[in-house]
Amino acid sequence: MSRSLAARAALAGVLATAWAVAVWLLWTSTTVPALHLPHLDPHAYFSPRQLSAAASYSRLERVDWLLATVATLGALLVFARYGLRWARESAAGRMGTGMLLGMLGFALLWAVQVPFSILELWWERRHHLTSIGYASLVLGNWLALGGEFVFLCFALAIVMGLARAVGDWWWLPAAPAFIGLALLFAFLNPWLTSTHRLEQPALRASAARLERIEHVRHAPIEVESVHDVTSLPNAEATGIGPSRRVILWDTLVDGRFTDREVTVVIAHELGHLAHDHIWKDVGWYALFAFPGTFLIALATRRRGGMRRPEAVPLSLLVLVGLTVLGQPLQNIVTRHMEAEADWSALQATHDTAAATGLFVRFVPTTLSQPSPPTWDYVLLENHPTIMQRIAMVQAWRRYATSVAQSP
Amino acid sequence: MDEHPVRLVVEDDLRRSRVTVFFRLLLAIPHFIWVFLWTVVVVLAAIANWVATLALGRPPDSLHRFMCAYIRYVTHLGAYLWLAANPYPGFVGEEGEYPVDVTLPPPASQLRWKTLLRVLLALPSVFVALTLGGLGAVRVPYRGTGGRLGASLGGALAGITAFLGWFASLARGRMPKGLRDAGAYSIGYSAQVLAYLLLVTDRYPNADPTALLESVERPPLHPVHLVGEAHDLRRSRVLVFFRLPLAIPHVVWLVLWAVAAVLVSILVWLATLFTGRPPAALHAFLSRYVRYSLHVYAFLYLVANPFPGFAGVRGSYPLDVELPGPERQNRWVTGFRFILAVPALLVNSVLGWALGVTAVLTWFVALGTGSAPWGLRNLAAYALRYAAQLNAYVFMLTDAYPHASPLEGAGEPQLSFDDAA
């Protein structure tokens, strides 16, 4: 083994160790007490009809996702092989041609996903979860491509510009650039959504009380109007610094959930803010951005590197492939943070009945399967399952009782 | 390509009587009544003609003559109304008696399926004709504040050229050639559409300005004119289908560039006002912007095929624009540039409607055939040329006023504001 090879191996080892340490530090910054969650029988909480409806609904959703993913990867494989022929339709020079190829790759993805999107929409409409029309979906997604293209062109301009300037090492400056963009987007995101003030005074008072309990600097609680397109309930904590806020979908405060249940949701979202989950999200993104961009750089070297438009179709395949492969890891991270937010909500509200009621009500309102198959859990679930969340409520109750009884 | 059987003949000398121009609308009132009555009869006769042509495979001679007279009459009236001609027209559509006339083909055999579907087939050309205004303006209904239904004027190239020509003719006793040519073009295209609709011919209307105005003398070469490969009509279907989203990054970039261009143009305006000549570096920057905007619009409106670059490099796109250097400019024209540009802005706005309609129609055709229709492509190129000339004028690249003639210029440049429009 030559000396330079050894030095490289040592450097790679040091970098890998540093990366692993960073992963460990970030992972352990999110804490949920080591609980032994009891195994719960879904039949004790849900009627056979509810379980059957959720299982039936989820089955087609899963098949649709699986087929769409396979078709997407297949289409990108073909595009990586033959996509270069579209370069003749460009008069835009090297970088512009790269952008055109990137956009056509995304356009291909849109085209491939149309039948699966329609199938999914049909399924959701059949279960009264959405009222979006088919034409709106297809045309809306077609027009939305324009926005995606703008970001794609921007990203390709960064990558191809850096590749031209520093060659195969483009990924080293590109990763921080993308991390910066992720940070910027995390900051701006709340202002990209149209919301209005939470009307209910009781919920506003609860939110103010929870902020004090969870030690969260004031974050506005706002409502996003989505009832004309979906009946699904949802909420999110978003923004960093001055843009932080909690956004509730109006389908959550339309009377189907009690005020106590909505309070648990608010406590959960404030838990995200209290534990800096948005910052940690960006941190996780940063940890994966370096190896991700490095792998793209490595894969595209045979096509002349990212400075050449020929590399763009292949880079899309690698990017989407890495995203699919990284999905289970990403799900582990988000489930970990969601569990911490659930725990935080229980600590703040002490309302186990409302928390259980909320999670139980999610099944008929979202048709989520309380305990999905393992492969679904690994690949698709970015929250703990409903049964895991109910089990955590029970575990917290035992924990709280033991703490109260301890001398 | 074969000559279209419906041909426009323009023998107008541009001179206008100020009195008849001033009272033009009032003088035309008898014609309005007469054309209304005639149109009612023509609608009934057209139905009979349609049935007869379906049965016989060709229109009966008597009905054909009647339709030809009507088309000629409408052409004469349109030319008078839109100031494309000066004399008061007759009421019976005499052939060869009016300075703006139309020659029509004799009755001939027509394909029955084309006859059967004539109204449907004619719809795209009717849309184009409406934006050009030879048949009247497009009224676009909309719901205004308070739920009131209103209508706005959209399109109507002939209408706007007549409006501007009215002032110019009153002032100078002459109709500006550019405006006259644009009005005549609109009238000629409308005559072709009518001839197609009324079964005078089964040849589809051709929007190509050069073919329609072949009897008209070309204007002088404008310093801002199109160059490049006009005959490449091939269009990639994939790029056509995704044209709008593909163009959005360019549109975003163009908007950002436009902000800088506006700021720079103010500096150039001041510099040109004081030194009589735009600074070379800023002139080059604005030239790039004008060229880039042409590339983007040519791509967006399907006038050209390939994806354009982001830098507006000269010669980098099949449809390009030739721009003058930083030459000396008239200080008066520079000082009042933004006011002087208003008429051209009006013309440009109606040409924008035509551009939009041609783009939509071309989108469907190109998606089906992989090729852009020659006539629509050239109409769109005319609109883009005018927009480029206007941009060059507004952004101080030249003091030559945009020329409204649909014809490409020929010969030496003529920069006078008086002779252009």
Side-chain angles (χ1 to χ4, degrees), chain A residues 18 31 34 49 61 67 72 84 102 144-145 211 220 241 260 263 269 280 323-324 366 380 382:
Chain A
T31 54
R49 195 174 166 192
E61 288 260 290
L67 291 176
T72 297
L84 191 58
L145 273 177
E211 279 177 4
R260 281 171 58 199
T263 302
E269 300 304 337
K280 287 175 188 173
T323 307
V324 172
T366 65
L380 296 174
N382 54 16

Side-chain angles (χ1 to χ4, degrees), chain A residues 86 88-93 95-97 99-100 103-104 106-108 110-111 142-147 149-151 153, chain B residues 234-250 252 299 305-310 316-318 363:
Chain A
W86 299 110
R88 69 178 179 188
E89 308 295 352
S90 171
M95 196 181 286
T97 303
M99 290 176 183
L100 174 67
M103 290 191 284
L104 287 178
F106 267 45
L108 180 71
W110 169 84
W142 185 78
L143 287 173
L145 273 177
F149 285 177
V150 173
F151 286 106
C153 285
Chain B
R234 188 187 71 82
R235 299 288 179 269
S236 154
R237 286 186 176 89
V238 172
L239 260 64
V240 167
F241 185 77
F242 291 106
R243 186 63 55 120
L244 194 56
L246 283 173
I248 284 180
H250 273 298
V252 171
F299 178 70
N305 180 54
F307 187 74
F310 285 80
S316 67
Y317 204 62
W363 191 83

